[in-house]
């Protein structure tokens, strides 16, 4: 079984070199001295992710990414990361980035959360960005 899986509910032509990307994601986990069971990335639309955000988190607003950690503390990382391709494209335009660069940023961001990094406080955001 692949430890990193990509699932598509929306097309993502900007996602290239998937095998290399999966190896890089595995290296992030190893660098943080964590173990990896499996992480599923689900690329979806704004409306799909809005439904998840409303139903599971009680937030009636668009977001670029939602992650669900499925493992217990101390167990190997297992989870699902939902990414809105609509939000990624809009954020890329807002931040004057390529869609590919923004897509990679959110892919890494979700995995870093599973490695234990937070981003609510300014100092935590700085650490997350440096990673």
């Amino acid at each position: 079984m692949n430890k990193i899986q990509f699932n598509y509910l929306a097309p993502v032509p900007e996602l290239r070199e998937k095998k290399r990307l999966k190896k890089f994601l595995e290296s992030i986990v190893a660098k943080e001295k964590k173990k990896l069971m499996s992480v599923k990335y689900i690329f979806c639309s704004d409306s799909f992710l809005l439904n998840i955000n409303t139903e599971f988190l009680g937030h009636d607003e668009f977001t670029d990414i939602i992650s669900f950690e499925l493992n217990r503390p101390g167990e190997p990382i297992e989870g699902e990361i939902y990414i809105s391709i609509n939000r990624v494209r809009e954020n890329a335009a807002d931040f004057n980035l390529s869609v590919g660069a923004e897509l990679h940023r959110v892919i890494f961001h979700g995995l870093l959360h599973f490695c234990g990094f937070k981003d609510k406080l300014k100092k935590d955001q700085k650490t997350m960005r440096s990673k």
Side-chain angles (χ1 to χ4, degrees), residues 7 15 18 26 28 47 53 55 65 73 75 78 84 93 104 110 115-116 121-122:
N7 299 284
L15 191 61
K18 295 175 195 95
E26 289 175 6
I28 290 173
S47 59
N53 205 13
E55 183 176 340
I65 182 171
E75 292 181 344
E78 183 178 11
S84 167
H104 283 94
C115 289
L121 303 174
K122 292 272 188 212

Side-chain angles (χ1 to χ4, degrees), residues 18-119:
K18 295 175 195 95
K19 192 173 186 176
R20 184 173 169 212
L21 177 58
K22 289 176 183 183
K23 291 273 186 210
F24 182 73
L25 292 167
E26 289 175 6
S27 77
I28 290 173
V29 174
K31 183 178 179 183
E32 297 304 325
K33 298 180 177 23
K34 304 287 184 184
K35 292 186 179 187
L36 177 63
M37 179 170 296
S38 71
V39 174
K40 293 179 185 175
Y41 287 89
I42 299 96
F43 301 98
C44 57
S45 66
D46 259 353
S47 59
F48 187 89
L49 198 53
L50 176 62
N51 188 39
I52 290 173
N53 205 13
T54 304
E55 183 176 340
F56 291 97
L57 302 176
H59 303 149
D60 189 17
E61 59 192 18
F62 291 114
T63 187
D64 55 357
I65 182 171
I66 295 176
S67 56
F68 293 102
E69 195 166 3
L70 303 175
N71 58 286
R72 292 185 180 122
E75 292 181 344
I77 294 170
E78 183 178 11
E80 296 177 344
I81 298 172
Y82 293 81
I83 297 174
S84 167
I85 297 306
N86 303 96
R87 282 301 101 212
V88 166
R89 288 189 175 118
E90 189 169 304
N91 289 346
D94 289 348
F95 299 127
N96 200 27
L97 297 171
S98 71
V99 174
E102 178 63 7
L103 180 60
H104 283 94
R105 185 192 69 78
V106 296
I107 288 171
F108 304 151
H109 184 93
L111 188 60
L112 287 169
H113 275 303
F114 289 167
C115 289
F117 294 94
K118 308 291 181 211
D119 61 358

